[in-house]
Each structure stands twice: as structure tokens, then as C-alpha cells.
Amino acid sequence: NPSLDLKINAGEIQITKENMDLVHNPNSQLSFDLEKWKVVSTNGWTFDKTRDAIVIPRGTIFTGLGVDAGIKGLNVRPDALREGKIDFNKGLSLGGITTLQLASGMKPKFNYDAGVGHYRISMVGTTNGPVGWVNNLPATPDRLEFTSIGMLSDNSTVLSLGKTMRFHNLMDVYVDQIMSGEGFFRLAGMPDLGIPNFVATRAEMTYTKENGKLKFRLEPLSGGPDCNANVSFTLEQIRSSQSLTNKLYTSYGTFYVKPPPGKGGDRIQIRGFLHKTPSECYIDVVTPQTINLGKEKFDLIEGRISATNNDWGDLNFTAHTHSTGLDNSNVLAFNVHGGIEVNGDNIKADNIDTPLGSLTISYIFAEKALVGILTINKPIMLGFGTLNSGTMATRFDPHGFYLGFTGNVTILSDKYDGGFLMGVYDADLNDVAQPMLTNFETNIPSFSSLHGFYVIGQRSVVDETFPLLIINVLAKAGYGAFVHLDYAQGSFSVGGYGYARMTGGVNVTGCGFVGVKQEAYADVVGKYENKNLSISTCQSVSTCVGACGLEGCIDILSRMKVSTNSAPDITLQLGGNCVK
């Protein structure tokens, strides 16, 4: 082979007047590359001047493809491997540590193929089954089979494998590749551990020989499962972090909790430990462990995510915050169901799909407050009626807690606009209460603090527009009731009210308002508060006359209050109105 360039480092040359010899230890190992193969002597070597060749009594050809061949009496000359025989009496080997059994009638060959310009190891013969196999491999009851063996020294061909093998009664691998080196061989393929949504690259199973016995080792897997609600788990690619034994696979790794789609903030990273058996699969949060959520540090107490019915549940974990103000233990329980958005000042989880509607939860570090908002879009059946729709808000902070609702309810088949505010909160709540209850036709009390509850319901009787002469009139009327209890002040009030309003006018295209616009409003409120019964009424009339931007109005207001504890209070004045 004129293109063969072995580049063998055989040793030093000793030159005398009579002779020239190679200086070497006859028991030393000689190795050289044969293109992408490697030839290694196993019983020393000699330099035979009469043959002008290096003679290797016995050696091994490592193909790098997993199957290695024994050689005997190989003569290495400057331009070719000549004379000598390839010894397959002991069969082909895998990494030199186990023998490949050949099917009956198989005749392994080693030769130089001038047609392709490379050396070839091949199996010839006829059989309906595999040409060779290896039995009794540790960790698997299956035998490793080769459907054909044909290798060129440039590794341009591959061994024909392709069989699913089960390792340690748990992991199935479609083995489609084999690699070898001196003292080991390695199987590779796509793994299936029965873990839901498990995304991995390749599994590699290495066999070595220790104390005369084959040993199995799973190389660290990469990847990991995509779990529920923007949670993923990435395996830790350290050999000591992963283990596959009989019916058990375990691995340390990292949870990554991503923000909800379209949201910002950093990913939350939590170290975890994956546990997989034939009957169960879960990932525990590793404790003790401290994680950063924005500006805050949390000491994790416990946590887990489990897989059932080939799907992952939610990641739940409990953490102890270094801040104060939530309660005496400062413990928060997290249920990751929709992603968590973290920035420097708060933790926020929104678009959480619950049986009641969409939930948003925030923890505000600067205020030491836990805030939740539930948008109810599914009916909630209660004993006294049904919450049809609305918004429910809650807050826990150093001032206390409150729970508030505003929305639509059904009581005894009638629909009402309803609202309530309850809790124990030692701070001003007017900024919260007023927007929540702003749609009601009565003035709600001031909430400088809250130590009880306030409930209000209102039903519309008339809400329609009808023509009157040349104008359209909008008429509204309805009634409502409320209850207010303050335990701290020992006060209690209950009452009801009715209201009516009519407005009308006419607008002209290109000029705006022309003519008369009138609004009339009246209400009556009955209230029992702290053993005092009172009835209040308010009537207001507003009349405006104008044309094309010029307008004049007269407002008349009358009020009357009758109380069991005081004289009647009657007010009549120009200007002002009853409308909130």
C-alpha cells in the first residue's frame, strides 16, 4: 500500500562498525495508528533484519467502533502490513475485556481492500440471525447483538446494531452505537426512563473489567423533564450526582421556574433530587437550601413535584423568609401553577388557572405584604346563593389582613350587585374600599381601620331608555341593603335604601347640546345603628338650558333625616345634588 504512512516510534538506533540495530525492550509495548484504528502489541515485539520488518507476535486492533480484533505474527514493513496471520481463534473482543461470540459458519477476515484503499475487518457467511453477540452483560438480561460486522480502517462504515435493551429493570435504550478503547467498551442510544416529558440527548453505558469481572456504569445523562406551569428540571451532569441501580434511577439537578409567558424577571433556581422507580416518579426540593427571590432570601423547608398518569403536577414548596411581618413563623407556601415573575421588589404569579377563576398572587418585599387577586369567571355555589362573577382581593401584611369582593351574585333567583369587606386591619382602607364598592348608590362608611365586616347588596329594578316628546329619557331605579359590624368599637348598623334617577336632553349634530337637559334623583335610606333608628331622604333636581356650547343650570337639593335620638333635620338649598 504506497499511501500507508504508519509513523511508528520504535525506539533508538544503535550503529556500530559491523551492524545497525534498534534499541528496545523486547517486552515493551508498541503501538501505532492504522488510519483511524490503533494497533497495540500485547506480547512484546522484535525487529527482524532478515525480513526487514517489525514482528508483532500477538496484538490487538482497536477499531474505535466497539469490536476489536486479535492479531498474530504481524509483520510491519515500511509500505504495508505483510506476512503473518490475523488470529481470530479467540474471537473478536469488545474493548479487550469480553469476547464477541460468532454465529456458526461465520468466517472473520482481515485484509487490505485495494478497491477502497483501506484495511477491512468483516464477517462473511450465511445466517438468519445475528452474526455475533455478547451474553451475560451486567445490568441487563438482554444480549448485545450485531446484525452485521464490516469495518474499514477509516471508520467510514459502522457496525449494524439496533435493539432496545433494558438496563437495571428500569431504563430502556435503543442501542444503535458502540465505542471502545483499551480496557472498556461503551454502548449508546436514546434512553427511555418512563419519566413524563423527559428530554435527553444520548445515554451511554460503559463496561469495564475489575478483578476479573465486568462492571456496568451509566455515564451522566443530560437534559431533564419539562414539568408543569413553566417549571423544568435539568439533571446535574456529574457522575456522583446520578445513579442507576436495580429498579431505581436518581439524580440531583436544578429546578428552573420561569416567568409566565410575556412576563419579565429572573428565573427561580432551586436544587432538587429526582427519584424514579417502576411505580413512582417525583422530584424533591433539596433542604437545607437558601434561594434568592428578588431582594429577599428564603430558607427552603420542604417541597416536591410528582408525576401521575404520565403527567406532572404542580411544584409545591415551603420556605422561611428572613423578613418579618407575615406571621410569627414567617413561612410561605408556594404552589407554582402558571409561572412566577420575580424582580427586585416583589414575587408575582399570575394567570393561575383555578376552579374559581384566574388568580394573581404577589409578595411585596418592601411592604412585607402578601397580596392575592382572584378574577371570578366561573359560578361559585354558596349556601345562600351564587357568586356569578367579580373580583376578590386579599392582603396579609404587618397591619393585619382583609378580604374583599365586588361583583354579581344571585340570591333566591334574583341577581344583585354585591360587595363585602372583612378582616382585621389596623390601617386606612379607604383607597381599597372605595374603588371596590364604587358602583353602589349609597355612601359607604369610612374605613380608617377594619375589625369586622361590611356587606352590601343592590338590585336594579328599572334601567332603560324611552322616548318622551322630542328627547330620550334614561330611567334607573332600584334598592339595596347593607350590614356593618365593627368588633373593636362595638358598633353595629343595618339598613336599606331605594333610589330613582331620570335624565333627559337632546343633542344636535354639529352643534352639540340644544334645548333642555334635566336630571332628577331621589333616595331613601333606613338605618339602625348602635340602638338608634334613622331614616334619611335626599332629592335633587338639576335643570340645564343651553344651545351650542352656552349652558345655564339650576340645582335644587333637599335633605331630611329623622332619628329616634335627635330632632328632625331638614335641609333645602339651591345647588348641590344627591348623586355620589
Side-chain angles (χ1 to χ4, degrees):
N1 178 13
S3 64
L4 187 64
D5 186 6
L6 299 180
K7 296 181 181 179
I8 301 175
N9 184 8
E12 298 178 354
I13 300 176
Q14 186 180 65
I15 302 175
T16 65
K17 291 180 180 181
E18 295 81 15
N19 206 350
M20 181 173 67
D21 290 305
L22 280 173
V23 180
H24 74 286
N25 182 346
N27 296 319
S28 65
Q29 186 183 79
L30 180 69
S31 65
F32 58 91
D33 293 331
L34 186 60
E35 293 193 279
K36 293 186 178 181
W37 291 353
K38 192 177 190 65
V39 182
V40 179
S41 66
T42 56
N43 289 85
W45 58 278
T46 60
F47 177 62
D48 191 331
K49 291 186 293 182
T50 62
R51 301 182 187 180
D52 194 22
I54 292 175
V55 179
I56 300 177
R58 287 192 178 275
T60 303
I61 298 177
F62 294 98
T63 66
L65 293 173
V67 177
D68 305 321
I71 58 175
K72 181 175 71 173
L74 180 64
N75 293 335
V76 182
R77 296 195 174 187
D79 59 349
L81 303 180
R82 294 181 179 178
E83 293 87 18
K85 296 180 180 179
I86 303 302
D87 181 16
F88 290 108
N89 291 333
K90 295 183 179 180
L92 303 178
S93 72
L94 298 180
I97 59 174
T98 190
T99 300
L100 180 67
Q101 298 183 36
L102 303 178
S104 177
M106 293 296 103
K107 297 179 181 180
K109 286 188 176 181
F110 172 83
N111 66 304
Y112 178 75
D113 189 334
V116 297
H118 304 289
Y119 281 86
R120 177 190 295 273
I121 295 177
S122 59
M123 303 293 296
V124 295
T126 59
T127 179
N128 294 325
V131 299
W133 60 86
V134 177
N135 287 323
N136 302 319
L137 285 176
T140 177
D142 304 313
R143 71 179 188 178
L144 178 64
E145 295 181 350
F146 298 87
T147 57
S148 67
I149 299 176
M151 300 167 290
L152 296 176
S153 55
D154 67 344
N155 284 358
S156 59
T157 57
V158 296
L159 299 172
S160 297
L161 297 99
K163 176 182 178 180
T164 298
M165 300 175 64
R166 171 157 289 194
F167 296 89
H168 278 306
N169 299 302
L170 183 66
M171 182 176 72
D172 292 326
V173 180
Y174 183 79
V175 178
D176 58 9
Q177 186 178 6
I178 183 169
M179 300 160 283
S180 76
E182 190 172 359
F184 80 94
F185 67 92
R186 183 174 297 148
L187 309 178
M190 293 304 299
D192 182 4
L193 280 159
I195 299 174
N197 301 325
F198 187 83
V199 179
T201 50
R202 303 272 287 176
E204 296 183 354
M205 292 70 62
T206 299
Y207 285 92
T208 57
K209 202 165 192 177
E210 298 178 17
N211 300 322
K213 294 183 178 179
L214 287 179
K215 298 291 184 180
F216 168 87
R217 180 180 71 236
L218 175 67
E219 302 299 328
L221 298 176
S222 63
D226 283 332
C227 304
N228 189 31
N230 294 316
V231 176
S232 62
F233 184 77
T234 300
L235 304 178
E236 193 170 85
Q237 294 184 60
I238 301 175
R239 183 171 292 170
S240 59
S241 296
Q242 299 188 28
S243 173
L244 178 63
T245 57
N246 187 39
K247 297 183 179 181
L248 174 64
Y249 172 76
T250 60
S251 177
Y252 285 96
T254 302
F255 285 109
Y256 291 99
V257 183
K258 297 173 287 188
K263 301 296 182 179
D266 299 327
R267 296 185 304 175
I268 299 175
Q269 299 185 33
I270 304 173
R271 195 159 189 257
F273 185 71
L274 171 66
H275 182 103
K276 177 67 177 77
T277 69
S279 60
E280 61 181 356
C281 180
Y282 58 85
I283 310 173
D284 280 331
V285 170
V286 173
T287 57
Q289 178 183 179
T290 300
I291 63 172
N292 294 318
L293 300 182
K295 296 179 180 178
E296 184 64 11
K297 292 184 180 295
F298 285 85
D299 296 329
L300 297 184
I301 299 173
E302 61 180 356
R304 173 175 289 189
I305 182 172
S306 299
T308 56
N309 299 325
N310 202 35
D311 196 11
W312 288 98
D314 295 339
L315 171 61
N316 297 278
F317 62 93
T318 304
H320 185 284
T321 173
H322 291 192
S323 291
T324 59
L326 290 175
D327 54 37
N328 291 334
S329 61
N330 301 313
V331 171
L332 292 176
F334 293 83
N335 185 328
V336 183
H337 189 79
I340 298 180
E341 180 182 355
V342 178
N343 57 43
D345 296 318
N346 60 62
I347 311 170
K348 183 180 181 182
D350 61 6
N351 297 324
I352 303 174
D353 187 20
T354 74
L356 306 181
S358 178
L359 177 65
T360 296
I361 299 176
S362 299
Y363 179 73
I364 305 172
F365 296 110
E367 301 175 14
K368 302 173 183 177
L370 181 63
V371 180
I373 299 176
L374 175 65
T375 301
I376 300 172
N377 50 30
K378 302 173 184 178
I380 302 175
M381 304 297 293
L382 302 175
F384 61 87
T386 302
L387 300 182
N388 299 312
S389 61
T391 301
M392 189 173 294
T394 185
R395 180 182 175 107
F396 295 83
D397 65 24
H399 297 294
F401 79 95
Y402 65 78
L403 176 66
F405 166 80
T406 181
N408 182 265
V409 300
T410 298
I411 302 176
L412 299 177
S413 75
D414 292 329
K415 289 188 175 182
Y416 293 83
D417 292 324
F420 68 80
L421 192 63
M422 61 181 298
V424 177
Y425 200 77
D426 292 315
D428 192 290
L429 269 172
N430 285 304
D431 289 343
V432 176
Q434 295 293 340
M436 286 180 58
L437 308 176
T438 189
N439 294 325
F440 298 95
E441 296 285 343
T442 187
N443 292 315
I444 65 174
S446 174
F447 290 97
S448 58
S449 63
L450 180 67
H451 300 89
F453 64 87
Y454 179 84
V455 180
I456 186 171
Q458 176 178 295
R459 182 168 186 254
S460 175
V461 178
V462 177
D463 187 354
E464 61 179 301
T465 300
F466 59 90
L468 181 63
L469 298 178
I470 64 170
I471 65 174
N472 288 326
V473 176
L474 172 64
K476 291 187 176 183
Y479 60 89
F482 57 86
V483 178
H484 186 199
L485 176 62
D486 190 315
Y487 294 102
Q489 298 180 10
S491 63
F492 171 75
S493 63
V494 59
Y497 61 93
Y499 65 92
R501 176 186 294 122
M502 294 183 66
T503 60
V506 63
N507 293 313
V508 177
T509 302
C511 182
F513 174 72
V514 174
V516 179
K517 181 172 65 178
Q518 189 165 29
E519 180 176 294
Y521 178 85
D523 70 21
V524 57
V525 178
K527 185 176 183 180
Y528 178 80
E529 182 175 11
N530 299 331
K531 301 181 180 180
N532 179 40
L533 177 63
S534 63
I535 298 177
S536 302
T537 66
C538 182
Q539 301 83 33
S540 65
V541 177
S542 176
T543 302
C544 299
V545 179
C548 298
L550 299 176
E551 185 175 313
C553 299
I554 298 177
D555 297 329
I556 301 175
L557 171 70
S558 66
R559 295 181 184 275
M560 181 180 69
K561 181 177 181 180
V562 179
S563 173
T564 58
N565 288 349
S566 62
D569 181 8
I570 301 176
T571 300
L572 178 62
Q573 67 181 59
L574 293 176
N577 56 67
C578 301
V579 182
K580 296 192 304 174

